Amino acid sequence: MTEPRLVEVRQKVLKQNDLLARSLRHRFRAAGVYVVSLVSSPGSGKTTFLRQTLMELKSGRRVAAIVGDLATDNDAARLARAGVPIRQITTGTVCHLDATMVERALDSWALNELDYLFIENVGNLVCPSSYDLGEDLRLVLMSVTEGEDKPLKYPTIFNTADVAVITKMDLAGPAEFDLVAARYNIQSVRPGMRIFEVSAKTGSGMSEWFQFLQAALAIAVSQ
Ligand SMILES: Nc1nc2c(ncn2[C@@H]2O[C@H](COP(=O)(O)OP(=O)(O)OP(=O)(O)O)[C@@H](O)[C@H]2O)c(=O)[nH]1
Ligand SMILES: [Mg+2]
C-alpha cells in the first residue's frame, strides 16, 4: 500500500523541480549567460576538465562555476585556483543537485556579468539524471578506466545529456580501452550524440571542445 504514495511524492518533487528549472532557464537566457552542467560517476575527471576549461576561457570570457559535492569544498578550492568566481554546494546526504540548490547558490550573483556558468554535479551516474537544473547544455563524462559499457548500464544519464566526453584518453592504452566500442555504445543509447575524446592532463582533444563552446555561446546569444 505504501508504494503508490512514494511514487506520488516523488512525482511532486520532480514536478516542482521542473517548474523551478524552467524559471532558472528563463533567468539565464534573460541574463545572456550560457550554462553548462557536468555529470559523471565519481572521479571521472569533471573538476580537472572544468579547471582546464575555465583556464582557457577566462582570458576572453567572463566565467564562473558552481560545484556540488556531498561533503568537503575540495573541488571549489581546486577550481578557485583558476582565478574565477566559484561557489560550492554541499548536499550532505543528497546524491544530486536540484534546481532549488542552484537557485540558492546564485544568490546575489550578477548573472548578466557572466558569459558562461558551469555547474559540476555530484559524482553519480544515477541520481542527477532526473533533475533539470535549467542548463543549456548537459555534459556526461566517462573516463577510459570505467569501461566501455557505461552507456549501456546507465542509459538514463546518457539520454538526459546533450554531449558525451570521454576523459583520460592519455590512459586509454594502459587501460586497454576500446574506443570503437565506447563510441558504438554511446550511439546505440543516444544516436547522433556528439562525443569529445579528451585528456585534460595532456590537453589532447580540448581545443575541439573549446571551439564547440564558443560556437554554442554565439548561437545562444543570437537567438
Ligand atoms: N591521467 C589522467 N588523469 C586525470 C585526467 N583527468 C582527471 N584525472 C585524475 O582523475 C582523478 C579524479 O579527477 P577529478 O577531476 O577530481 O574527478 P571528478 O569527476 O571531479 O571527481 P568527483 O568530483 O569526486 O566526482 C584525479 O586524480 C585527477 O588528477 C586526465 O585527463 N588524465
Ligand atoms: Mg569533482
Side-chain angles (χ1 to χ4, degrees):
M1 284 303 282
T2 53
E3 213 175 307
R5 208 173 127 70
L6 275 176
V7 170
E8 211 175 282
V9 170
R10 189 174 144 76
Q11 278 171 347
K12 214 168 157 198
V13 168
L14 288 177
K15 180 141 183 58
Q16 274 172 357
N17 186 80
D18 281 350
L19 290 173
L20 183 54
R22 199 182 304 164
S23 94
L24 279 177
R25 190 164 281 116
H26 284 141
R27 203 170 140 193
F28 293 145
R29 196 132 308 155
V33 57
Y34 190 76
V35 182
V36 181
S37 80
L38 297 88
V39 294
S40 81
S41 54
S44 301
K46 295 179 294 300
T47 307
T48 312
F49 177 80
L50 181 51
R51 186 166 182 271
Q52 294 309 104
T53 303
L54 297 174
M55 294 293 288
E56 168 69 20
L57 291 177
K58 71 173 185 177
S59 54
R61 298 290 183 179
R62 301 163 303 172
V63 290
I66 295 172
V67 53
D69 268 309
L70 267 73
T72 84
D73 60 0
N74 291 356
D75 284 0
R78 283 167 65 197
L79 291 173
R81 281 183 227 130
V84 304
I86 307 290
R87 287 189 177 175
Q88 173 85 45
I89 301 174
T90 308
T91 62
T93 55
V94 181
C95 53
H96 58 82
L97 293 180
D98 64 28
T100 309
M101 296 175 197
V102 171
E103 188 189 41
R104 242 184 264 134
L106 293 174
D107 184 39
S108 77
W109 241 355
L111 288 176
N112 57 352
E113 291 173 9
L114 292 177
D115 297 310
Y116 292 100
L117 174 67
F118 294 89
I119 305 173
E120 178 182 335
N121 215 314
V122 176
N124 191 297
L125 270 184
V126 182
C127 312
S129 49
S130 312
Y131 291 85
D132 185 1
L133 304 178
E135 68 272 66
D136 295 288
L137 185 79
R138 181 174 289 201
L139 305 182
V140 58
L141 287 72
M142 61 179 270
S143 66
V144 299
T145 52
E146 289 166 56
E148 304 81 7
D149 61 352
K150 288 301 159 294
L152 304 178
K153 287 187 174 177
Y154 301 91
T156 313
I157 199 101
F158 281 82
N159 267 315
T160 57
D162 303 293
V163 163
V165 183
I166 301 176
T167 61
K168 310 191 190 180
M169 283 299 291
D170 56 299
L171 300 178
E176 298 183 10
F177 182 68
D178 185 341
L179 183 56
V180 174
R183 285 184 191 142
Y184 182 83
N185 291 341
I186 292 170
Q187 296 300 334
S188 66
V189 169
R190 187 78 200 270
M193 191 176 214
R194 176 79 194 252
I195 306 172
F196 292 95
E197 295 151 15
V198 307
S199 165
K201 278 268 152 81
T202 67
S204 78
M206 293 296 285
S207 59
E208 285 87 347
W209 158 241
F210 299 146
Q211 279 163 21
F212 175 91
L213 258 187
Q214 299 278 10
L217 177 65
I219 292 167
V221 296
S222 71
Q223 279 170 353

